[in-house]
Amino acid sequence: MPAESSRARSTNETRERILDVALDLLGENPDAGMGDIASAAGVVRRTVYGHFPSRLDLIRTLTERAVAEMTAVLAEADASAAKADATWVEFVSRVWPVAHRYRVLLALRRGEYGEAIHGLLGPLDELLADLVKRGQDSKVFAQHLPADILSQLAYGIVFSIADSDRSNESLGARAATITSLLLLGVPERRAVALADEQP
């Protein structure tokens, strides 16, 4: 029994290592193949395919991880009774490392895996739309677009800045926070003040 437990733990560790390596590699090159991922993870292709029968399975698993992490962050941020714009700032502040890590999903969402990624992001999209709708109802956010579209644009900006931040260290969570708040219709002075309140 201990040998089986040890083998299962080793298998799980290998699977997690492949996912971590894939995320890093795809972040640098969204077109990286399964062979590239196997080499970078120090395993043979058969091992990668043993865990993920196709590249789509691998992408789907990475997306599920991202959604779980971002949903947990949003639930924490939304647990307070803060105004919608302050909640948004808290969300961006906490989600920034996650968005930075999973920024490749933005590129992959525009490609052949778009439909699968879009489907998996559905629950997070709904939560963000609910937050934006709450902000619109309380006149904190603009009402020129429906909440679901406005929320998509605002957190798409966060991912775009995370992707651009790889080569320009002057960008970051503060830039993502202010830019997304401006897009949501928050006045610049309030957006800057909210961003500056973050540690």
Side-chain angles (χ1 to χ4, degrees), residues 136-197:
Q136 289 178 323
D137 291 345
S138 60
K139 308 286 191 270
V140 171
F141 294 151
Q143 299 182 21
H144 62 288
L145 287 171
D148 58 338
I149 296 174
L150 196 55
S151 63
Q152 289 269 323
L153 292 170
Y155 96 94
I157 286 287
V158 174
F159 270 85
S160 293
I161 291 176
D163 190 43
S164 299
D165 194 44
R166 284 181 298 166
S167 57
N168 184 350
E169 294 182 9
S170 67
L171 297 174
R174 184 175 185 276
T177 300
I178 293 170
T179 306
S180 60
L181 284 172
L182 292 174
L183 195 142
L184 288 165
V186 175
E188 184 177 0
R189 183 174 293 178
R190 168 90 175 147
V192 170
L194 284 167
D196 287 344
E197 285 172 13

Side-chain angles (χ1 to χ4, degrees), residues 6 11 23 70 79 106 128-129 132 134 137 148 174 180 190:
S6 175
T11 299
L23 193 56
M70 289 188 286
L106 187 69
L128 287 168
V132 171
R134 179 160 68 85
D137 291 345
D148 58 338
R174 184 175 185 276
S180 60
R190 168 90 175 147

Side-chain angles (χ1 to χ4, degrees), residues 4 34 39 51 61-62 108-109 138 152 182 194:
E4 283 181 24
M34 298 291 263
S39 295
H51 291 284
T61 303
L62 287 174
L108 294 173
R109 192 175 189 175
S138 60
Q152 289 269 323
L182 292 174
L194 284 167

Side-chain angles (χ1 to χ4, degrees), residues 24-68:
D24 289 343
L25 197 58
L26 290 167
E28 296 304 317
N29 175 17
D31 296 322
M34 298 291 263
D36 301 319
I37 291 165
S39 295
V43 297
V44 295
R45 284 172 61 116
R46 188 175 62 238
T47 302
V48 175
Y49 281 110
H51 291 284
F52 309 101
S54 71
R55 193 167 185 267
L56 177 59
D57 290 312
L58 178 70
I59 300 300
R60 187 178 282 131
T61 303
L62 287 174
T63 305
E64 287 167 351
R65 267 182 31 172
V67 169

Side-chain angles (χ1 to χ4, degrees), residues 54-156:
S54 71
R55 193 167 185 267
L56 177 59
D57 290 312
L58 178 70
I59 300 300
R60 187 178 282 131
T61 303
L62 287 174
T63 305
E64 287 167 351
R65 267 182 31 172
V67 169
E69 289 183 44
M70 289 188 286
T71 301
V73 166
L74 181 55
E76 274 183 43
D78 210 15
S80 70
K83 289 172 82 170
D85 55 357
T87 300
W88 181 271
V89 171
E90 178 80 9
F91 168 67
V92 174
S93 171
R94 290 178 183 221
V95 87
W96 179 253
V98 181
H100 207 268
R101 198 162 58 249
Y102 291 101
R103 65 190 182 273
V104 67
L105 294 179
L106 187 69
L108 294 173
R109 192 175 189 175
R110 290 189 294 254
E112 63 182 299
Y113 304 111
E115 194 173 320
I117 292 173
H118 184 73
L120 290 169
L121 287 172
L124 178 65
D125 291 343
E126 286 179 25
L127 289 171
L128 287 168
D130 288 345
L131 172 58
V132 171
K133 182 74 170 82
R134 179 160 68 85
Q136 289 178 323
D137 291 345
S138 60
K139 308 286 191 270
V140 171
F141 294 151
Q143 299 182 21
H144 62 288
L145 287 171
D148 58 338
I149 296 174
L150 196 55
S151 63
Q152 289 269 323
L153 292 170
Y155 96 94

